Amino acid sequence: MLISKFDTTDIEKKVTDLECQYGIILPDQYRQFLYKYNGGETPETSFRLARISSDLSGFWGLGVANVYFQLERYFDCDEISSFVSEGIFPIGKNSFGDLLFIGIQEEHLGEILFRYHDRPKSLTTLADSFYDFATKCKSKKLYQ
């Protein structure tokens, strides 16, 4: 998977602050991904899992990130709190505004879940872990 990472300056503190703000602990694989990339855009990337075929525009970043992928600008605190109360945390999106989440409570802990923007109560499990999901995402070669 191709990824254009965002600024990782002080990312460990930003992740810790985020976890404290919402009273959560992000799964370790995803936390390590944030430390290394702080989210990022994923050009020409797609996945086909659990009968869902979709592009992947990118993953949310904290602080300095492309304006379309800044977690804090895209969601307000109430929206994130609502997701957290469902046991999920938003991690990315496709070009249609459908969302990817990671499970943060025992029932779906670490799983990657997908929700269509027009079906807000329906979640589909895509992968058992962030690593499994990332390895199944495919990117087209940008230059040949």
Side-chain angles (χ1 to χ4, degrees):
M1 171 176 58
L2 293 174
I3 188 160
S4 176
K5 74 180 195 173
F6 299 133
D7 185 353
T8 57
T9 304
D10 297 325
I11 190 63
E12 289 184 30
K13 180 179 180 341
K14 290 173 186 168
V15 170
T16 299
D17 290 348
L18 177 86
E19 289 176 324
C20 288
Q21 180 178 359
Y22 294 103
I24 61 173
I25 297 174
L26 295 171
D28 192 53
Q29 288 179 359
Y30 180 63
R31 186 182 307 110
Q32 294 304 317
F33 166 78
L34 288 175
Y35 290 168
K36 186 171 182 177
Y37 296 99
N38 184 25
E41 293 182 72
T42 53
E44 297 293 322
T45 300
S46 62
F47 61 88
R48 185 178 181 90
L49 297 162
R51 296 186 177 172
I52 294 175
S53 182
S54 176
D55 70 313
L56 175 62
S57 295
F59 295 99
W60 306 114
L62 305 173
V64 179
N66 175 312
V67 68
Y68 298 109
F69 292 98
Q70 281 181 323
L71 184 71
E72 305 94 327
R73 294 188 91 187
Y74 198 84
F75 300 104
D76 64 32
C77 290
D78 290 340
E79 286 176 297
I80 293 176
S81 294
S82 176
F83 294 141
V84 167
S85 70
E86 292 180 57
I88 57 177
F89 193 83
I91 63 168
K93 67 176 180 170
N94 68 14
S95 60
F96 301 105
D98 302 320
L99 299 176
L100 291 164
F101 297 91
I102 193 161
I104 55 171
Q105 290 179 352
E106 194 169 323
E107 181 182 355
H108 294 287
L109 187 60
E111 293 179 351
I112 304 304
L113 306 131
F114 182 85
R115 178 181 282 169
Y116 288 103
H117 69 279
D118 57 349
R119 290 184 246 163
K121 294 298 176 192
S122 177
L123 283 172
T124 301
T125 301
L126 298 177
D128 291 333
S129 69
F130 186 80
Y131 177 81
D132 288 344
F133 175 74
T135 60
K136 292 180 175 131
C137 290
K138 304 297 178 203
S139 299
K140 292 181 184 175
K141 289 184 180 180
L142 295 179
Y143 301 103
Q144 297 198 8

